[in-house]
Amino acid sequence: MTIPEIFETMEYGPAMEDASEAHAWIAKHEGQFGHFIGGAFTAAGESFATKNPATGEALAQVSQGTQADVNAAVDAAAKAFPRWSKLSGHHRARHLYALARLLQKHSRLFAVLETMDNGKPIRESRDIDIPLAQRHFYYHAGLAQLRDSELPGHQPLGVCGQVIPWNFPLLMLAWKVAPALAAGNTVVLKPAEYTSLTALLFADICREAGLPKGVVNIVNGDGATGAALVDHPGIAKVAFTGSTEVGRKIRQATAGSGKALTLELGGKSPYIVFDDADLDSAIEGLVDAIWFNQGQVCCAGSRLLVQENIADDFHARLKTRMANLRAGNPLDKCIDIGAVVDPVQHAQITRMVSENTAGETYHAPIEMPSEGCFYPPTLITGLEPADRLMQEEIFGPVLVSSTFRTPGEAVALANNTRYGLAATLWTENVNLALDVAPKLAAGVVWVNATNLFDAAAGFGGVRESGFGREGGWEGLLAYLKPADAGKPVKPAKVHVPGEADFEGIDRTAKFYVGGKQARPDGGYSRAIHGPRGALLGHVGIANRKDIRNAVEAAQKAAGWGKTNGHLRAQILYYIAENLGARGAEFADRIRAQTGRSAASAREEVEIALSRLFSYAAWADKFDGAAKSVPIRGVALAMNEPVGVIGAFCPEEAPLLGPVSLLAPAMAMGNRVVLIAGESAPLSATDLYQVLDTSDVPGGVVNILTGSHADLAKPLATHMDVDAVWSFSSADISGVIEAGSAGSLKRTWVNNGRNPDWFGATGEGKAFLRAATEVKTIWVPYGE
């Protein structure tokens, strides 16, 4: 056969990878694996088989983790934590560096074992998964070295429980273990039931690297083992990658526990092709987007949106390319399509495709192995946005397609999903690319590329794709907490009537909704008294309908997020100017509600003014970053507003509390629904008179009064609220976290402790980070 004929037919290979070393490693352990706890493997117990999905061959028996195993692993991690957390950053960096070097030295063994256990092509394991895992340990060795100097005032969380999926077994381990160790935490990791072997090999190199006993612990098992780990009271943080359904259950299980939580969940990522794109490059990118790892990728470009005037041509070219894909033994270096991880997953993919009656289904006409969990590359065209397969994650080598006419329609279709993990767009027009990318509801956007990852660039989603970021400084911060834990909050002290007569005209403070004063929907109000019983006025009692009205007003003010930082700064300065002009009045109001001294009340007003100035200053200075990633291109980490934030104000500072929450939210382009403190709400209701005269657009700030306990659930469960903050003295942290599980919105709750609102911890970057989402936009360049 001539070289031109080879290129024409693509008939070359096979080129099999030698698996003998991987089999020898399994044999060294006698094909039986216990757990890795306290620096040693336990004896094998009740076990299950882990199989090669390409052949059905049983590779080894892996122990099923019990509650006792989880307890032992958490105890070992807790015992190791004090010493590990007190090591200098340099010494932790040396351990992480040793792990990175050993991952390199054993890279071929890891790659072969990963392919045998997972079914992905050896080229992917060898060239993508294992090098990226190494990169994460190298990168986080650097973060460990720099942590103390660059993030002063932070400390590790404690024992971290980590649950990872089967699609990228070693890479997901690296994404979770490396930042946890760099920050000074210890870990208990549960690998996926289907793919435990590379995690156990990693345990072997932890011993070889001399990692202190108990710093890394690995407990195998199914979902019950994962649930035992999540529920364990000794776990300070849970990090989970997996399905949205399970992520929602974990959010509910950890609600009110005080455990930190990050979730990286499912996706239905759009792959947008404009008519000016390099179509052949876009098709090659699409092959990587959806058929990489057999489509078993949470950020797979599984929803093709192609401009209508090129759709027929694009689909024809794509089908031609699909017909030249090669499926077969994943250990063959010439293979494009490997095996689906397990018969259960194969059956799920088959059922979802076979039940679909919409559009036109095309299976690539390629030779498929007669045995093993193989599914052909599939394209389904002509679907409508509401069709089931356009909305639900298939998690297999199946691409669904629809068309659009204009860029605006492309954005609308791309965002027509409950997910928000990643998105890809192809165009030769840089103006179009940089216009569309910020409009996409996704944590990661690739321009003229796809599936680019690096340890320096944060990865994670929005909406029902979860919250939190992995990679970069933002990923490290997810494993740290402020060294100052704050002070326990005291219950709201609602003053009772006294004998003093009310002086002046009776006044009921209304709500502030959509830039206007509004009466409570229920028509109820309550009296506000001073410490000596003087009647100061009345405030409305908000209900679920008032929450809906305020959120609707906030949604209508979405244009605030598109304004520039300079404009937002000007308005915050203007609020401060108008508040300062009425400073004496606000001080008198604070004094009347709280009984504090005149000097103390004036001090609160002055600090509120300073805080407004601080966030006005930050409005155009809380910058993103251009991440140093190893490509010819740039990964831009952009700080974007979260959206609509519901916030429960503290009791300790009647004026400073609301200001400390609305100012960072506004500065970053968010809209807020403030629930005033219960004991002294009149300072918050007086504040809307200042907002009215300060050019604040209607709906950007909305103020309600009422019972925090009654309003926590309606606000947390509202599907159009993007985040909820609580600094309430009421015990509502658990209610908010549990309620947030429905839409998996972000929460920031105090768990009964508040910062010092009058001191340094009452403002700063923690508030700005809570008010922003990091979107990573990858822009390769060059010919």
Side-chain angles (χ1 to χ4, degrees):
M1 183 177 286
T2 65
I3 291 177
E5 288 173 333
I6 291 173
F7 276 103
E8 180 67 27
T9 63
M10 300 295 281
E11 292 179 1
Y12 54 89
M16 297 299 296
E17 180 65 61
D18 181 13
S20 59
E21 187 180 352
H23 283 295
W25 177 79
I26 294 172
K28 186 178 74 171
H29 289 269
E30 300 180 345
Q32 299 274 341
F33 291 91
H35 313 291
F36 185 70
I37 297 174
F41 283 100
T42 65
E46 181 182 346
S47 62
F48 55 88
T50 182
K51 299 179 179 180
N52 183 334
T55 64
E57 168 197 9
L59 299 172
Q61 291 291 321
V62 178
S63 294
Q64 167 67 34
T66 65
Q67 183 68 60
D69 296 320
V70 171
N71 292 345
V74 174
D75 288 346
K79 183 178 179 180
F81 174 71
R83 183 178 178 186
W84 177 255
S85 63
K86 288 181 174 61
L87 280 181
S88 69
H90 171 66
H91 281 90
R92 287 198 304 276
R94 290 172 65 171
H95 283 293
L96 287 160
Y97 173 78
L99 290 171
R101 291 289 291 126
L102 285 169
L103 281 170
Q104 284 185 313
K105 291 177 182 179
H106 298 294
S107 61
R108 187 56 60 95
L109 173 59
F110 272 105
V112 173
L113 192 63
E114 193 84 314
T115 287
M116 292 168 58
D117 204 19
N118 170 274
K120 65 177 61 185
I122 185 65
R123 291 188 298 111
E124 295 178 8
S125 299
R126 180 195 65 200
D127 299 341
I128 299 173
D129 291 32
I130 309 307
L132 269 174
Q134 297 161 8
R135 163 72 172 153
H136 271 266
F137 279 97
Y138 274 121
Y139 179 83
H140 285 91
L143 291 188
Q145 181 78 25
L146 300 174
R147 193 209 84 182
D148 292 340
S149 62
E150 297 302 307
L151 295 173
H154 288 80
Q155 64 185 30
L157 296 165
V159 179
C160 298
Q162 303 177 324
V163 181
I164 60 174
W166 42 258
N167 54 345
F168 293 94
L170 184 69
L171 183 55
M172 292 295 101
L173 177 151
W175 279 22
K176 298 214 169 12
V177 171
L181 300 192
N185 303 282
T186 55
V187 303
V188 179
L189 179 132
K190 191 202 83 68
E193 180 183 3
Y194 297 148
T195 54
S196 303
L197 294 184
T198 47
L200 295 168
L201 177 56
F202 178 78
D204 252 356
I205 74 164
C206 286
R207 295 193 300 184
E208 189 177 346
L211 194 69
K213 296 178 180 180
V215 171
V216 170
N217 305 271
I218 296 173
V219 179
N220 311 299
D222 57 14
T225 308
L229 181 58
V230 168
D231 292 339
H232 197 288
I235 295 296
K237 185 228 168 73
V238 174
F240 172 78
T241 296
S243 72
T244 295
E245 178 185 0
V246 175
R248 187 173 284 115
K249 292 178 180 178
I250 290 174
R251 171 68 287 180
Q252 291 170 334
T254 58
S257 66
K259 295 176 183 177
L261 177 65
T262 49
L263 299 172
E264 195 264 280
L265 307 175
K268 193 70 177 177
S269 300
Y271 191 98
I272 308 168
V273 182
F274 291 98
D275 58 6
D276 65 342
D278 179 339
L279 298 190
D280 290 332
S281 294
I283 286 171
E284 286 306 307
L286 187 53
V287 169
D288 286 337
I290 183 58
W291 293 301
F292 173 57
N293 198 18
Q294 297 69 253
Q296 299 168 126
V297 184
C298 51
C299 58
S302 56
R303 262 193 315 146
L304 172 62
L305 303 175
V306 59
Q307 200 148 16
E308 190 174 89
N309 58 314
I310 60 166
D312 291 343
D313 182 23
F314 189 86
H315 288 146
R317 296 192 197 196
L318 178 58
K319 290 177 181 178
T320 300
R321 181 67 180 89
M322 291 171 65
N324 286 288
L325 294 171
R326 299 174 299 276
N329 190 330
L331 286 173
D332 183 352
K333 302 180 187 73
C334 301
I335 289 302
D336 301 306
I337 306 295
V340 173
V341 73
D342 188 83
V344 172
Q345 182 66 16
H346 186 276
Q348 169 77 355
I349 298 166
T350 303
R351 180 183 60 80
M352 292 186 73
V353 174
S354 63
E355 290 178 353
N356 173 64
T357 58
E360 178 183 328
T361 300
Y362 172 83
H363 297 292
I366 62 176
E367 183 178 350
M368 299 295 293
S370 58
E371 59 182 31
C373 296
F374 290 89
Y375 194 90
T378 299
L379 169 66
I380 304 176
T381 56
L383 294 182
E384 297 296 328
D387 285 334
R388 180 189 177 197
L389 295 189
M390 288 292 286
Q391 294 293 328
E392 292 191 19
E393 188 176 30
I394 302 171
F395 222 65
V398 180
L399 175 67
V400 297
S401 180
S402 186
T403 62
F404 66 89
R405 293 182 179 179
T406 66
E409 186 181 2
V411 171
L413 289 172
N415 292 341
N416 182 31
T417 173
R418 59 196 175 104
Y419 298 110
L421 188 54
T424 300
L425 64 96
W426 285 80
T427 174
E428 292 296 286
N429 184 339
V430 65
N431 291 323
L432 179 61
L434 296 181
D435 176 57
V436 170
K439 297 176 180 177
L440 298 174
V444 179
V445 178
W446 294 294
V447 176
N448 293 342
T450 193
N451 281 341
L452 298 177
F453 308 100
D454 187 66
F459 181 87
V462 297
R463 295 178 172 177
E464 293 189 27
S465 290
F467 48 79
R469 295 293 180 265
E470 294 181 297
W473 287 102
E474 53 268 43
L476 186 70
L477 282 162
Y479 286 91
L480 294 166
K481 64 182 179 181
D484 185 343
K487 299 178 180 179
V489 296
K490 297 178 181 179
K493 185 177 181 180
V494 178
H495 302 298
V496 298
E499 297 181 359
D501 294 329
F502 178 72
E503 297 179 3
I505 301 174
D506 188 15
R507 171 174 171 267
T508 299
K510 298 182 178 65
F511 302 149
Y512 189 61
V513 176
K516 300 177 181 178
Q517 296 184 43
R519 298 181 184 278
D521 172 73
Y524 291 100
S525 62
R526 70 179 181 90
I528 304 298
H529 296 88
R532 297 183 179 180
L535 179 62
L536 304 179
H538 291 78
V539 295
I541 300 176
N543 61 19
R544 183 184 295 269
K545 179 63 164 57
D546 296 309
I547 291 285
R548 290 203 301 268
N549 292 342
V551 173
E552 182 179 348
Q555 286 288 348
K556 291 179 179 179
W560 178 253
K562 300 175 184 178
T563 59
N564 59 65
H566 173 65
L567 175 62
R568 296 195 296 272
Q570 283 185 305
I571 290 179
L572 285 166
Y573 282 130
Y574 198 13
I575 294 172
E577 178 184 336
N578 288 324
L579 178 61
R582 298 176 56 182
E585 175 187 339
F586 274 88
D588 288 343
R589 177 70 89 178
I590 293 169
R591 186 181 180 191
Q593 293 176 105
T594 64
R596 285 160 38 196
S597 68
S600 174
R602 286 196 301 270
E603 179 189 24
E604 180 170 343
V605 174
E606 287 301 316
I607 295 174
L609 295 173
S610 174
R611 198 141 294 169
L612 285 164
F613 265 68
S614 292
Y615 288 116
W618 275 116
D620 56 1
K621 299 176 186 66
F622 191 59
D623 300 323
K627 297 300 184 83
S628 298
V629 293
I631 64 166
R632 286 195 67 200
V634 63
L636 301 174
M638 311 294 291
N639 289 324
E640 296 191 339
V642 172
V644 176
I645 298 174
F648 291 88
C649 298
E651 303 294 336
E652 308 94 286
L655 173 65
L656 182 57
V659 167
S660 296
L661 302 185
L662 74 85
M666 287 181 64
M668 295 297 101
N670 301 282
R671 296 90 72 199
V672 294
V673 177
L674 287 178
I675 312 298
E678 294 185 52
S679 60
L682 295 176
S683 294
T685 57
D686 287 350
L687 190 60
Y688 64 63
Q689 301 169 25
V690 173
L691 302 178
D692 265 343
T693 58
S694 302
D695 293 342
V696 178
V700 171
V701 178
N702 304 274
I703 301 172
L704 303 178
T705 55
S707 165
H708 289 192
D710 291 343
L711 298 177
K713 185 175 180 180
L715 193 58
T717 57
H718 199 297
M719 298 298 285
D720 286 335
V721 173
D722 301 294
V724 179
W725 301 352
S726 175
F727 296 95
S728 174
S729 65
D731 184 16
I732 60 174
S733 294
V735 174
I736 289 170
E737 290 180 331
S740 73
S743 61
L744 289 166
K745 60 174 62 69
R746 289 173 56 175
T747 61
W748 188 24
V749 297
N750 62 355
N751 291 302
R753 303 183 75 91
N754 273 351
D756 177 7
W757 298 106
F758 297 86
T761 59
E763 67 172 308
K765 289 187 177 180
F767 290 83
L768 297 170
R769 286 191 290 264
T772 52
E773 291 281 10
V774 176
K775 175 184 283 185
T776 303
I777 302 176
W778 291 76
V779 188
Y781 51 72
E783 293 294 330

